[in-house]
Amino acid sequence: MNIFLYDSLSKEKKEFVPIDSKKIRIYACGPTVYNYAHIGNARMSVVTDLLVNILKTKFKKVVFVSNITDVDDKIIEASIREKKPIKEITTKYHKIYNEDMKRIGVKKPDFQPKATDHIQEMIEMINKLLENNCAYIEDNHVLFDVSKYEYYGCLSKRTKEEQIAGNRIDVGEYKKNSEDFVLWKPSKKNEPGWKSPWGYGRPGWHIECSAMSEKCLGIPFDIHCGGIDLTFPHHENEIAQSCSAFKKNSDPQSFCKYWFHNGFVTVDGEKMSKSLGNITLINDLLSKYSGPVIRLSLLSSHYRQPLDWSTKILEQSKKTLKKFENFFDKIPSEFFLKDSNSNFDNEFLNSLYDDLNTPRALASLNKLFDKVKDPKKDDKKIILSLAKCFQLLGINLNKNKNNDESNFVTKSEKKIIFDLIQEREEARKLKDFERADNIRDKLKKMNINIEDSVEGTKWIKNE
RNA sequence: GGUGCGGUGGCGGAGAGGCUACGCACCGGCCUGCAAAGCCGAGUACACCGGUUCGAAUCCGGUCCGCACCUCCA
């Protein structure tokens, strides 16, 4: 089985052929750390995390790099707004980002370079671009001269004429062409800045990814990931910079081989935006839903499709996951310790190898579950395989042995619940069902649902 | 205006010329003191109009509708 990926540069699904099968190299544009991560950031992280997992089933070594943008106009704004130093803002949100991602099962990248740690590399790259006559200095800015790169527009499939026609922003007076973009710009005294051959200033947005991907991975590397909205201008400009710095007019493949873009998350069919006030933060979501539920929701549609986020999706994922969790809860943990050399289900893996078709992969797991749910059958192999498949998706099913929901309840509440359940047990023994049902109603009013099972009465707090 | 993606059953969501996708919800049954859970089973679909074909949700032409990017954005 080979892995196929949709490459947004060539606009076709292609077999993934690594540059060096001993070491796969992936880069993803990470977050700008000036606020809590939202569900769109999470989709990118979850999808690339899954891509890495999938590649690891086939290749021994996969190096994944995802940057942190910690110098940016938005951060400066946040610093003024929150009246806190820049460093404090970026450190805070960087930390929160990693914590939130961890909770939805995203592993930390092998390298998580920060832009501010790579200013020197950026300056060097800008120097090379100036040497190659692909950039110019104007009014204390260094700008990339788009007309010097013949492949410009190859990713977003735009001709220069189209861009000019569609250009809605005012052309900066210092620009030769409206589509030229900033590599280095001057900083005011109160803004973050670094010494450079072009004066005190800071980098433009795009240069950091070109500098850090080359530094951490070397070029060309295998896969470049990011949200679909980054294709233009960010990724287009990355290609232009990297392919002009290395050698003038290098083709896009000399930077990276495959471009992997995930679709947008919308809310009620509309894009999340500050003006609409519909930004859903992971941090808020995590107080209501578990990490695996959020993760499963994000994987319930194909990564390239737009995903319309809603409580319905979360509720559905919650139920789906519960079905599997209930099943695995009944299996003693020793069961998993003995036979750890289980295999992936073929249909499951094939679906994921086919451009990360998670809905089809999930369907195959349901089929697998049908085979295994009859407790009379001894399908140890399939059960182990099922657990392993979920693990590949980043969802752990066989570890939550203790009542997860109890975390949402205080100790004194637990005591009350416990006592009421005891009381109800006694009533049931005496066949006083009216009293038993009254107690159940009472618990329900406390938002506690109970279930009578062979092992006794279980309770769950509703969110 | 340019570029790209899409419209599938009540909802979510794959598939891509003939074969049940799948899940959630709903309905019927089993189980249960009753619930819940679990199990078994049934139903409902491919935006519209033409065309190609023995056969189209899938291919071709057209129409309508939605979304995104072209400005910071995952």
Side-chain angles (χ1 to χ4, degrees):
Chain A
M1 285 190 283
N2 290 320
I3 297 173
F4 286 81
L5 294 174
Y6 181 86
D7 167 38
S8 19
L9 180 62
S10 59
K11 297 235 179 287
E12 57 185 6
K13 206 194 277 183
K14 294 202 302 208
E15 186 184 335
F16 174 68
V17 183
I19 296 163
D20 174 7
S21 61
K22 291 194 200 83
K23 188 181 171 189
I24 311 300
R25 292 164 296 156
I26 311 183
Y27 185 89
C29 293
T32 304
V33 282
Y34 69 107
N35 204 343
Y36 285 91
H38 56 66
I39 195 70
N41 298 311
R43 188 180 200 194
M44 187 287 266
S45 300
V46 165
V47 164
T48 47
D49 181 68
L50 178 64
L51 174 65
V52 170
N53 285 354
I54 291 168
L55 288 166
K56 279 182 178 167
T57 64
K58 218 175 161 65
F59 303 100
K60 277 217 176 79
K61 193 171 179 191
V62 179
V63 181
F64 176 52
V65 178
S66 188
N67 70 297
I68 294 289
T69 300
D70 60 351
V71 52
D72 182 273
D73 288 352
K74 290 194 294 287
I75 298 172
I76 297 171
E77 283 165 27
S79 156
I80 294 164
R81 195 175 52 240
E82 296 189 26
K83 297 194 179 71
K84 279 177 188 157
I86 301 242
K87 188 81 185 160
E88 196 180 322
I89 301 271
T90 56
T91 309
K92 176 185 166 189
Y93 291 113
H94 181 179
K95 189 165 172 266
I96 291 170
Y97 177 80
N98 281 344
E99 284 166 359
D100 284 351
M101 291 310 117
K102 193 179 173 189
R103 290 182 67 188
I104 54 173
V106 174
K107 291 179 300 302
K108 218 178 157 190
D110 299 297
F111 297 101
Q112 197 173 44
K114 287 189 281 188
T116 52
D117 290 339
H118 295 82
I119 302 294
Q120 200 48 45
E121 283 83 352
M122 295 187 223
I123 289 173
E124 279 163 26
M125 188 172 243
I126 296 169
N127 258 332
K128 272 193 218 163
L129 289 168
L130 284 163
E131 275 167 30
N132 287 353
N133 198 27
C134 295
Y136 56 94
I137 303 167
E138 196 73 56
D139 196 17
N140 296 319
H141 291 67
V142 185
L143 291 128
F144 186 89
D145 186 344
V146 163
S147 67
K148 298 287 168 60
Y149 186 57
E150 67 172 277
Y151 299 98
Y152 196 76
C154 62
L155 183 66
S156 53
K157 302 284 182 283
R158 280 167 236 261
T159 65
K160 282 168 198 151
E161 293 72 33
E162 280 163 10
Q163 286 166 54
I164 293 160
N167 211 320
R168 279 190 259 145
I169 51 157
D170 293 333
V171 178
E173 277 176 19
Y174 46 85
K175 287 188 184 181
K176 273 192 204 166
N177 302 294
S178 64
E179 66 273 35
D180 291 350
F181 55 91
V182 174
L183 297 167
W184 190 267
K185 59 183 164 188
S187 290
K188 291 177 198 140
K189 269 186 189 161
N190 56 345
E191 290 173 346
W194 290 263
K195 270 190 214 160
S196 82
W198 322 285
Y200 179 75
R202 58 196 145 103
W205 173 36
H206 314 296
I207 193 77
E208 62 173 271
C209 289
S210 284
M212 290 188 282
S213 58
E214 183 170 349
K215 165 97 188 290
C216 300
L217 293 170
I219 57 169
F221 55 93
D222 293 290
I223 307 171
H224 192 129
C225 313
I228 187 78
D229 57 317
L230 292 183
T231 30
F232 191 88
H234 186 54
H235 292 161
E236 192 73 70
N237 293 352
E238 268 186 63
I239 292 175
Q241 290 161 350
S242 289
C243 297
S244 300
F246 170 65
K247 189 173 139 256
K248 201 171 173 181
N249 266 330
S250 309
D251 71 282
Q253 295 261 311
S254 63
F255 176 44
C256 115
K257 296 288 178 190
Y258 299 85
W259 284 88
F260 180 91
H261 286 113
N262 63 275
F264 245 82
V265 178
T266 58
V267 173
D268 296 323
E270 279 177 310
K271 185 181 162 174
M272 283 192 289
S273 74
K274 274 184 192 162
S275 53
L276 289 165
N278 59 354
I279 293 179
T280 307
L281 303 177
I282 296 298
N283 210 272
D284 293 339
L285 225 44
L286 278 166
S287 64
K288 293 178 189 152
Y289 294 93
S290 72
V293 167
I294 296 169
R295 185 164 175 118
L296 186 64
S297 301
L298 286 168
L299 294 176
S300 64
S301 65
H302 186 90
Y303 78 92
R304 280 193 280 122
Q305 292 301 115
L307 173 61
D308 196 25
W309 194 254
S310 68
T311 319
K312 266 187 185 171
I313 293 180
L314 285 160
E315 288 298 326
Q316 187 175 319
S317 301
K318 191 175 156 186
K319 277 176 186 155
T320 304
L321 208 57
K322 189 142 187 51
K323 182 178 80 176
F324 287 102
E325 277 168 353
N326 284 346
F327 175 79
F328 277 96
D329 275 349
K330 286 181 189 134
I331 296 167
S333 40
E334 304 89 73
F335 180 92
F336 296 98
L337 297 173
K338 286 175 198 162
D339 266 297
S340 49
N341 57 334
S342 52
N343 290 319
F344 290 114
D345 176 64
N346 258 337
E347 204 180 320
F348 171 81
L349 205 55
N350 263 329
S351 302
L352 292 180
Y353 279 8
D354 183 13
D355 194 32
L356 276 72
N357 194 328
T358 48
R360 216 170 74 208
L362 252 11
S364 72
L365 294 188
N366 280 308
K367 284 177 198 159
L368 219 56
F369 184 66
D370 276 342
K371 284 187 200 164
V372 106
K373 66 189 172 193
D374 183 355
K376 277 174 270 175
K377 287 184 193 163
D378 183 27
D379 287 318
K380 193 166 184 181
K381 258 188 143 171
I382 301 178
I383 295 171
L384 287 166
S385 172
L386 194 58
K388 193 174 177 176
C389 291
F390 267 103
Q391 216 140 40
L392 185 65
L393 292 176
I395 294 167
N396 228 331
L397 284 177
N398 55 6
K399 65 164 193 193
N400 298 338
K401 289 291 172 195
N402 22 355
N403 194 350
D404 214 16
E405 280 78 8
S406 62
N407 296 332
F408 293 107
V409 177
T410 64
K411 267 190 181 169
S412 59
E413 277 178 314
K414 265 186 204 168
K415 172 100 172 66
I416 296 167
I417 294 162
F418 184 76
D419 288 348
L420 282 170
I421 288 173
Q422 282 295 309
E423 199 184 327
R424 180 169 166 274
E425 272 316 296
E426 279 161 33
R428 287 179 73 210
K429 270 180 198 157
L430 300 167
K431 299 216 186 283
D432 184 356
F433 296 123
E434 203 187 326
R435 201 171 124 223
D437 290 349
N438 280 341
I439 294 169
R440 180 165 53 203
D441 287 346
K442 202 170 168 184
L443 283 162
K444 203 166 192 174
K445 275 179 194 153
M446 293 165 67
N447 238 349
I448 305 294
N449 276 347
I450 53 168
E451 268 178 44
D452 297 326
S453 74
V454 191
E455 305 103 71
T457 302
K458 290 179 186 168
W459 61 271
I460 277 172
K461 175 153 181 153
N462 274 348
E463 286 109 20

